[in-house]
Amino acid sequence: MNSHQSLQPKPTRILVIAMRYLGDVLLTTPLLHSLRQAYPDARLDVLVFHNTASMLEGNPDINHVITTPNRPKFADYRQLFGQLFRQYDLAIATQAGDRPFLYALLAAPLRVAAVPPKNTTGWWKRFFVQHWTEFDDDNTHTVLQHLKLLSLINVPQCFSLVPPQISNTKQLAQQFPFLADNTGYAVLHPHPQWTYKQWTVEGWIEVGLYLKKLGLKLVLSGGPGQQEIDYVAKIQRQLPDDTINLAGQVSLAQLATIIAQAKLYIGPDTGITHLAAATGIPVIALYGPTNPVKWAPWPTGFNQNRNPFDKQGSQQLNNISLIQGKGDCVPCHLEGCDKHRQSRSKCLDTLSLKCVEESIRWALSK
């Protein structure tokens, strides 16, 4: 059944299943906030992977975060099934994969889900949920894809993202005195998870030097993985001595707080760029093979039920300046020119410093 009726009686226990990467989890927060506004007294839990739960730290809309390994073993499945089995009135699966579908099936008698399109593997899942929408991987932004699920049950849509939050900002300021520096700083996040989304080391160095000339302190961010720490350190060594390197040193919620006080953020297609966009500061996003219609950062204050960005071309909207690499094939939706995650993307390797400098001037004028 695919009707548009309000739920009666109102659900008192709701589970949202969001089992992908960090950025995907953050892009689920408008759905969570919409549910909280519609059902203020309900218990609202979220099921995510262990390594993405930090994106929901301090989120006021959530009662409890349930985590599971990316590659669960039998004992993990058994424990999770015990936690979920008929513990909820309503389960919402935001992805069309097998595991989210199975968990929704176990968790609640009433299920709302994204399902695969007809004539594709798993199309039959629609017959086991009460409300469904087909997953669109090309022409619908991820935020809007999630909110479509709520339109099926007449829940009013909220479009704002909710970044992770910390409770003690004074302690963070004591740990990092540059936060109180009146000079102002820019945050650069040079390392995405996959090589095919990378810009060049040389490009990051040139941009850093340009920002320094403009009078901004440089703050580099990065995750805790050794490869990422080494990559960021390589860039830091070729930047001014007062450059701050936060790679592997702060939590996501702490990083969100640091970014929120910056004059500017620059990053590639990665979850931290979505996080920066959610803080509301000016963001420059460097995109190559990825489709901006589906995966562009969501602009602060954009409250319309339409895609904020087109598929092709560099664009600016609210706090987001999206720079797209050049090429007739862009965006190709492929994982690099050699079609695997560790391959390079020519459209990003040839992205010019001039394009980024123009966006910096636009961002700093806001």
Side-chain angles (χ1 to χ4, degrees):
M1 181 171 63
N2 199 15
S3 60
H4 295 66
Q5 299 176 353
S6 300
L7 298 181
Q8 295 296 335
K10 292 182 178 181
T12 60
R13 297 169 299 163
I14 304 171
L15 176 68
V16 174
I17 303 164
M19 302 176 66
R20 289 201 69 192
Y21 300 116
L22 282 168
D24 304 74
V25 172
L26 180 64
L27 295 178
T28 309
T29 58
L31 177 148
L32 296 171
H33 189 60
S34 301
L35 286 169
R36 175 54 67 208
Q37 295 300 305
Y39 306 116
D41 299 322
R43 178 181 176 89
L44 178 55
D45 295 349
V46 187
L47 173 59
V48 298
F49 290 130
H50 284 326
N51 62 354
T52 63
S54 57
M55 191 60 87
L56 300 176
E57 181 181 346
N59 189 308
D61 297 320
I62 301 169
N63 291 102
H64 182 59
V65 178
I66 303 170
T67 65
T68 183
N70 292 55
R71 294 180 176 83
K73 299 178 180 178
F74 178 78
D76 299 313
Y77 279 119
R78 185 173 60 183
Q79 179 182 4
L80 184 59
F81 288 0
Q83 287 180 275
L84 299 183
F85 187 72
R86 289 301 182 264
Q87 295 298 307
Y88 300 92
D89 307 316
L90 169 66
I92 300 176
T94 60
Q95 283 91 34
D98 291 343
R99 276 195 283 173
F101 169 75
L102 173 62
Y103 296 151
L105 206 63
L106 289 169
L110 179 59
R111 300 172 290 274
V112 179
V115 300
K118 287 184 178 179
N119 303 319
T120 63
T121 302
W123 65 272
W124 48 267
K125 292 173 183 174
R126 66 194 66 199
F127 297 116
F128 293 87
V129 298
Q130 285 80 8
H131 306 274
W132 55 266
T133 184
E134 287 190 351
F135 179 73
D136 178 5
D137 201 28
D138 293 317
N139 300 308
T140 304
H141 193 279
T142 302
V143 167
L144 300 180
Q145 178 77 62
H146 294 334
L147 292 177
K148 275 186 177 183
L149 296 167
L150 299 186
S151 68
L152 301 174
I153 53 176
N154 272 0
V155 169
Q157 298 174 339
C158 301
F159 295 90
S160 297
L161 276 66
V162 181
Q165 304 171 30
I166 60 173
S167 56
N168 192 339
T169 56
K170 290 184 179 180
Q171 182 178 348
L172 188 67
Q174 292 173 353
Q175 184 179 356
F176 298 107
F178 74 87
L179 292 173
D181 191 339
N182 293 328
T183 304
Y185 60 91
V187 177
L188 308 183
H189 187 87
H191 192 279
Q193 184 173 9
W194 309 114
T195 302
Y196 77 94
K197 297 181 178 183
Q198 284 182 4
W199 195 29
T200 63
V201 169
E202 295 74 20
W204 286 111
I205 294 168
E206 290 175 338
V207 161
L209 295 174
Y210 179 74
L211 289 168
K212 187 65 177 178
K213 287 181 180 178
L214 295 178
L216 293 175
K217 183 181 287 291
L218 303 177
V219 177
L220 305 180
S221 68
Q226 191 59 51
Q227 182 181 14
E228 189 163 352
I229 289 173
D230 293 343
Y231 186 91
V232 176
K234 180 180 179 180
I235 294 171
Q236 180 193 12
R237 286 193 292 269
Q238 301 176 71
L239 290 173
D241 292 341
D242 64 348
T243 298
I244 306 295
N245 185 350
L246 299 179
Q249 297 188 41
V250 294
S251 69
L252 276 180
Q254 289 174 324
L255 181 59
T257 303
I258 291 168
I259 291 174
Q261 298 179 49
K263 299 292 186 183
L264 172 69
Y265 167 94
I266 306 176
D269 170 24
T270 187
I272 304 304
T273 299
H274 292 289
L275 176 64
T279 68
I281 71 160
V283 167
I284 297 175
L286 311 181
Y287 271 52
T290 305
N291 178 7
V293 169
K294 184 70 180 174
W295 292 112
W298 190 263
T300 297
F302 187 79
N303 299 316
Q304 301 180 41
N305 194 12
R306 64 175 180 86
N307 297 320
F309 291 99
D310 296 326
K311 183 172 286 190
Q312 294 181 315
S314 296
Q315 304 154 69
Q316 297 170 340
L317 181 60
N318 295 0
N319 65 319
I320 307 298
S321 176
L322 189 144
I323 302 176
Q324 189 178 67
K326 304 292 185 180
D328 294 337
C329 56
V330 179
C332 65
H333 306 197
L334 299 176
E335 295 177 338
C337 294
D338 294 331
K339 302 179 183 178
H340 63 85
R341 290 175 171 177
Q342 301 307 329
S343 67
R344 303 290 305 184
S345 297
K346 184 178 179 181
C347 55
L348 284 170
D349 286 344
T350 58
L351 182 63
S352 72
L353 174 65
K354 181 180 178 181
C355 291
V356 183
E357 288 179 347
E358 289 174 354
S359 287
I360 289 172
R361 291 191 290 271
W362 169 82
L364 295 178
S365 69
K366 292 183 70 63

